Amino acid sequence: MNQPMLEDSPYLPKWAEITRIEQLTESEKLFEMRLANGEPLGHSPGQFVELSVMGIGEAPISVSSAPTENDVFELAIRRIGNLTTAIHGSVTGDRVGIRGPFGTPFPVEEARGKDLLFVAGGIGLIPLRSFIRFVLDHRDEYGEVTVLFGARNPSERIFLDELEQWEERDDIIYLESVDKSGPGWKGNVGVITTLFSQIHVDPSRTYCIVVGPPVMYRFVILEAKARGIPDRQIFLSLERKMKCGIGKCGHCQINHLYVCQDGPVFRYTDIFDLEEAL
Amino acid sequence: MELQLIEKSDHDQFVQNLISNYQVEGVKRKDGSFLYGSIKAPEELCLDFDCTAIPPRKYFLPPKETLLQFALTPDLEATPVIENDPFILFGVHPYDIKAINQMDRVFARGVPDPHYLKRREAALIIGVDPATVAPRSFWADMGASTVSEGFDLMLTDVGEDFIVEIGTNKGRTLLEEYAKTRPATRDDARERVKIRSRISHICKKRGFAFPKREIPKLLEHSWKEPLWEERAGKCLSCGTCNLVCPTCYCFDVQDDMDLDLAHGERTRRWDGCLLHDFATVATGENFRETRASRYRHRFYRKGLYLFKILDDMACVGCGRCASGCLPDIADPVNLFNKLREEEK
């Protein structure tokens, strides 16, 4: 990446136009966007952007689409704070600001030719979807692919059409569970770790990629380790307050690491002994 | 090293010349404390202060600054605001210069931050050696009695005169144009060494009971010490320690709209890791919920985390946190000495 000129502010966003909006659940929407200058976003799966609604502010948002999807990109956003409430009020054609992409990607290259075990908890599926879609677009370059998805209840499941496609494909294994059942739910009930008993992995060649709420990591890592997956083949994406995206503002600091620059994707062996990380 | 000498009787004229040609910011006496502010007349400038209440970082990282100005037109418009008005910062102690040097590295490393760097470039820094030591200072123990860079000129009060060390060409020009000087003799240079060592010696009365280079190692295994909890029990989460610290630079960014609701500014302002919501994300999850975790974080950041990144501790020993903390739990000397004791 070129160093910016000292006259260029790293805080100046590029403009992007919202080209499509899809309601995913009651509180999540998918926004398809295109940068106004016509450039592709240029992200790798696992990276995030700082999304601006001018006049409201900025927030870190994972990119949910794969880089293979040329000139548009997708952000799936839960309405939870000021910025996300504002973006939920926007319509197609509105402009927003984008800085980034920032941060470390999932091990897209390192895991090539290897088996992949994706473990997504709730909206952890949003960043993970970028990698999953990338793998599905390059299916023959990866080995066995397993996706485990857990949601709190059936109404919080997102990307329903895709989940259905994944279930139907015979070149990947897709399993899901909900913590609490709901009307019409016929699938698995139980926390995400209960799905591990239904899968077979070849631990030495499996990369386990985990994204979910902070509380989920400890338990999923235990399962992965119990399956014999080596620590250095476990990757996770951490959530923190990432205000500036360039390792300055101090909010996302864990030990000597800045999640916005050194993460959000970390190799388990790089953080397992860091206080406050997990 | 090039040393010149300004007679004290000529010093006011030097300051007056600077005032006539530059925006001059310096230390002023106010209600028994020392504060940086605009100097409009030589007699306002105080050079025998012990320690200012607030460090000079506000000149490079202001409490609130505009990063962008924007207009909510259909296409959206935004322009960065990068200030680079030249000014002279007159009267900075070596420990504060050490802190500025460190902050220069922070804002230049990785993605450079022009909002800070341009303001820094535009500044001329005239340092001054401390003539007295603040009660809670321990800069001598932090290796901050003198600095070899980060100043354009450095003054030492040697009685009848000021000895001036020239740090940069800009500083030399300033001296040539605006001051009546003569070269310092070897005796003058010796006198400066003596005075510096005397004041440093006074400052050394406060310090660590063990070599300070062992602090990072001490922290490596002090995470679970009950001391954090004990001390933090008194913490008011007020963030004063962050506010007065010359090496604290954490900031928050937010948008401020004009009353016309068509224009606005993206601003950044100081933030502090001791404040309750510093690590809180939109879901409400606070990654440092307890006072003890925030209190501990600050010491770890100063003594270990930034040390790992910069190979230098982010504490220069000014002691402002110690004197500013109402329950008096922020003093690094006291804290690290106690941790070391507990370790044994």
Side-chain angles (χ1 to χ4, degrees):
Chain A
M1 207 173 81
N2 288 331
Q3 287 289 328
M5 297 279 290
L6 213 46
E7 284 68 25
D8 293 339
S9 172
Y11 303 99
L12 183 67
K14 292 177 185 169
W15 307 126
E17 189 182 315
I18 301 175
T19 48
R20 187 170 62 84
I21 300 174
E22 187 186 327
Q23 187 88 39
L24 295 176
T25 69
E26 204 182 312
S27 53
E28 277 106 22
K29 281 183 181 178
L30 178 93
F31 298 86
E32 183 196 76
M33 301 183 182
R34 179 184 286 115
L35 287 178
N37 62 12
E39 285 174 13
L41 181 64
H43 73 290
S44 295
Q47 290 190 296
F48 69 96
V49 294
E50 289 283 349
L51 170 68
S52 283
V53 177
M54 301 310 287
I56 302 294
E58 216 176 24
I61 306 285
S62 312
V63 183
S64 194
S65 52
T68 23
E69 285 147 54
N70 54 56
D71 64 335
V72 293
F73 58 95
E74 291 170 347
L75 307 180
I77 301 170
R78 174 175 285 181
R79 191 182 65 237
I80 190 105
N82 295 335
L83 189 281
T84 54
T85 299
I87 189 88
H88 268 246
S90 45
V91 295
T92 305
D94 280 355
R95 279 193 165 199
V96 294
I98 296 287
R99 289 193 302 125
F102 293 119
T104 53
F106 292 121
V108 177
E109 296 306 323
E110 188 180 327
R112 224 176 266 268
K114 300 292 189 348
D115 296 348
L116 282 161
L117 170 60
F118 294 106
V119 186
I123 54 173
L125 186 60
I126 292 171
L128 213 46
R129 173 176 176 261
S130 176
F131 195 6
I132 296 171
R133 286 176 73 124
F134 180 87
V135 168
L136 295 181
D137 287 341
H138 301 82
R139 188 61 194 91
D140 54 344
E141 295 170 27
Y142 293 88
E144 298 290 327
V145 174
T146 307
V147 178
L148 307 182
F149 174 48
R152 269 191 301 202
N153 57 61
S155 70
E156 291 190 10
R157 294 162 70 241
I158 47 176
F159 304 123
L160 298 183
D161 293 348
E162 272 163 89
L163 300 186
E164 205 170 303
Q165 287 168 23
W166 295 349
E167 194 148 20
E168 282 167 9
R169 286 177 78 126
D170 51 15
D171 58 350
I172 68 166
I173 293 163
Y174 172 73
L175 294 170
E176 64 179 350
S177 181
V178 294
D179 295 355
K180 243 182 155 167
S181 187
W185 180 253
K186 295 192 182 73
N188 294 305
V189 177
V191 293
I192 192 161
T193 43
T194 56
L195 295 175
F196 274 80
S197 60
Q198 301 181 39
I199 58 166
H200 294 280
V201 294
D202 178 352
S204 66
R205 46 174 292 124
T206 298
Y207 275 72
C208 179
I209 320 289
V210 195
V211 191
V215 61
M216 191 188 90
Y217 287 115
R218 223 171 325 138
F219 297 101
V220 170
I221 289 166
L222 280 177
E223 288 292 337
K225 284 164 81 85
R227 292 301 164 120
I229 298 173
D231 286 357
R232 51 174 293 103
Q233 286 168 214
I234 301 173
F235 286 79
L236 9 103
S237 179
L238 297 186
E239 180 190 16
R240 284 299 183 275
K241 181 170 176 174
M242 296 181 284
K243 201 80 198 193
C244 73
I246 55 173
K248 308 265 189 253
C249 80
H251 290 93
C252 69
Q253 187 164 30
I254 302 173
N255 214 292
H256 60 290
L257 302 173
Y258 292 97
V259 177
C260 72
Q261 294 261 296
D262 303 305
V265 176
F266 290 100
R267 192 190 294 273
Y268 178 58
T269 43
D270 289 338
I271 56 165
F272 80 99
D273 60 347
L274 280 193
E275 301 287 358
E276 292 187 339
L278 291 169
Chain B
M1 189 195 315
E2 190 182 338
L3 296 180
Q4 292 280 327
L5 203 129
I6 302 180
E7 287 182 20
K8 277 205 176 154
S9 53
D10 293 330
H11 186 258
D12 274 4
Q13 190 56 52
F14 173 48
V15 178
Q16 183 54 56
N17 291 344
L18 296 181
I19 292 170
S20 309
N21 290 281
Y22 282 92
Q23 163 84 12
V24 177
E25 301 287 321
V27 181
K28 302 204 275 195
R29 218 180 283 270
K30 196 187 172 197
D31 304 332
S33 19
F34 301 104
L35 292 168
Y36 282 98
S38 287
I39 304 292
K40 299 295 178 205
E43 60 273 19
E44 287 180 354
L45 182 68
C46 171
L47 289 180
D48 60 353
F49 61 97
D50 56 2
C51 187
T52 59
I54 307 279
R57 76 166 144 133
K58 67 173 182 177
Y59 290 109
F60 312 112
L61 186 70
K64 180 183 172 188
E65 70 178 296
T66 303
L67 297 175
L68 308 172
Q69 285 173 333
F70 58 82
L72 300 186
T73 54
D75 278 355
L76 294 178
E77 292 160 41
T79 325
V81 178
I82 295 175
E83 287 174 13
N84 58 354
D85 302 329
F87 69 101
I88 291 175
L89 186 53
F90 202 134
V92 189
H93 282 165
Y95 52 84
D96 275 338
I97 293 176
K98 185 169 191 255
I100 294 169
N101 290 346
Q102 191 175 86
M103 209 168 295
D104 290 351
R105 290 174 64 197
V106 166
F107 282 97
R109 74 185 278 274
V111 180
D113 185 314
H115 302 273
Y116 173 94
L117 295 170
K118 283 287 169 183
R119 222 184 260 116
R120 176 69 187 86
E121 264 176 38
L124 286 157
I125 293 182
I126 303 183
V128 62
D129 274 323
T132 51
V133 178
R136 307 297 288 270
S137 288
F138 55 101
W139 37 261
D141 214 14
M142 293 309 293
S145 299
T146 58
V147 280
S148 56
E149 56 179 5
F151 57 86
D152 295 283
L153 296 173
M154 171 65 78
L155 269 57
T156 313
D157 187 335
V158 290
E160 300 291 299
D161 316 294
F162 283 108
I163 291 181
V164 193
E165 180 182 342
I166 295 171
T168 64
N169 283 330
K170 281 196 226 168
R172 176 179 290 110
T173 309
L174 210 59
L175 213 54
E176 281 167 2
E177 286 187 18
Y178 302 117
K180 194 178 152 203
T181 61
R182 60 182 156 86
T185 62
R186 285 173 79 171
D187 281 349
D188 294 328
R190 264 197 293 272
E191 183 61 16
R192 187 174 86 134
V193 171
K194 222 161 73 187
I195 285 178
R196 282 184 155 184
S197 121
R198 192 184 307 146
I199 195 80
S200 193
H201 192 73
I202 296 173
C203 189
K204 276 225 167 97
K205 285 180 187 153
R206 240 178 86 68
F208 302 109
F210 60 101
K212 67 129 188 170
R213 63 169 188 280
E214 290 175 16
I215 291 174
K217 209 174 66 203
L218 172 67
L219 286 173
E220 296 268 14
H221 45 87
S222 297
W223 187 264
K224 294 197 163 69
E225 282 297 330
L227 191 62
W228 304 117
E229 199 81 45
E230 281 166 32
R231 292 272 164 103
K234 295 182 191 164
C235 179
L236 305 171
S237 299
C238 67
T240 298
C241 51
N242 298 129
L243 184 80
V244 301
C245 179
T247 68
C248 270
Y249 57 83
C250 289
F251 58 83
D252 195 15
V253 178
Q254 63 186 66
D255 286 4
D256 299 333
M257 287 304 292
D258 293 351
L259 284 176
D260 67 4
L261 294 183
H263 299 85
E265 295 185 332
R266 181 155 291 174
T267 59
R268 82 167 149 202
R269 52 196 80 196
W270 292 350
D271 205 346
C273 60
L274 267 292
L275 301 174
H276 179 266
D277 287 337
F278 183 78
T280 304
V281 294
T283 54
E285 175 120 19
N286 187 347
F287 289 93
R288 263 175 238 109
E289 175 68 47
T290 64
R291 277 182 294 173
S293 64
R294 295 192 295 277
Y295 176 73
R296 178 177 55 195
H297 175 75
R298 180 161 192 274
F299 289 101
Y300 269 78
R301 181 166 157 102
K302 299 294 177 197
L304 183 61
Y305 302 162
L306 287 178
F307 175 80
K308 285 188 190 174
I309 295 170
L310 304 169
D311 197 26
D312 197 10
M313 268 184 269
C315 173
V316 294
C318 66
R320 290 182 179 98
C321 52
S323 39
C325 180
L326 225 49
D328 200 0
I329 52 167
D331 184 359
V333 173
N334 187 299
L335 190 277
F336 288 127
N337 278 343
K338 187 83 181 151
L339 269 187
R340 174 70 172 218
E341 259 175 52
E342 308 276 309
E343 186 193 36
K344 283 175 183 162

